Amino acid sequence: MSKETIVLASDHGGFELKETLKDMLSGLGYEALDLGCHGLESVDYPDYADAMADVLAGARARRGVLVCGSGIGISMAANRHSHIRAALVHDGLTARLCRQHNNANVMVLGGRTTGVDVAKDCLKIFLNTPFEGGRHERRIGKMS
Ligand code: RB5
């Protein structure tokens, strides 16, 4: 069976956490597609949210992870694209709910606000929690 591709992108504020999550994904047997950034030099987070949106518009991947310093800017930028449901999560509960209730296709973390162990926990939950559908389907439909 071919590996599922998970897309990752960050600005400089999320770079280190993105690298950690990329390693974790590879260790879990996923194909990690890293859209950058590739270092700590200052960049603009909307560019990376847009790059994520471009990839998720195609057939190569259906889920992604974005990281900026707070997670706020890059989630705002990602959610300007109608096919993206990006959820800024802070713990296991919000990671689980963004899948069960919101069918988030992008999980967003703050590299300066969320610790590595919590972030890893969020990633595992995001990857493994199904959407509940039902009444949530109708609500999501109203956002598209
Ligand atoms: C970059 O300094 C910082 O503003 C950015 O990573 C993010 O936190 C914006 O929301």
Side-chain angles (χ1 to χ4, degrees):
M1 207 174 74
S2 68
K3 296 177 175 183
E4 181 184 349
T5 298
I6 305 293
V7 195
L8 294 140
S10 75
D11 74 354
H12 54 290
F15 170 71
E16 286 170 338
L17 183 56
K18 170 179 66 72
E19 294 299 300
T20 301
L21 297 179
K22 184 169 64 177
D23 290 346
M24 178 179 163
L25 284 168
S26 304
L28 289 172
Y30 291 90
E31 182 81 44
L33 173 60
D34 183 0
L35 304 178
C37 67
H38 299 293
L40 292 170
E41 190 185 328
S42 184
V43 294
D44 298 337
Y45 55 79
D47 297 338
Y48 295 88
D50 290 350
M52 169 74 65
D54 283 351
V55 173
L56 293 186
R60 179 149 184 206
R62 60 185 181 89
R63 305 195 277 180
V65 177
L66 289 171
V67 194
C68 71
S70 62
I72 297 170
I74 208 162
S75 51
M76 286 180 170
N79 279 315
R80 295 178 68 87
H81 299 270
S82 60
H83 63 294
I84 302 289
R85 285 179 307 281
L88 174 56
V89 308
H90 291 102
D91 50 31
L93 177 62
T94 46
R96 179 166 62 76
L97 287 171
C98 86
R99 289 291 314 128
Q100 289 179 329
H101 289 194
N102 313 109
N103 201 13
N105 54 359
V106 176
M107 183 181 73
V108 188
L109 289 159
R112 296 173 181 155
T113 57
T114 301
V116 171
D117 288 346
V118 173
K120 286 179 163 179
D121 196 37
C122 290
L123 179 56
K124 227 178 285 172
I125 292 167
F126 175 71
L127 292 171
N128 295 321
T129 305
F131 177 47
E132 278 180 0
R135 67 190 188 280
H136 303 297
E137 189 79 64
R138 181 182 71 242
R139 293 165 185 164
I140 283 169
K142 290 186 175 184
M143 292 195 285
S144 56

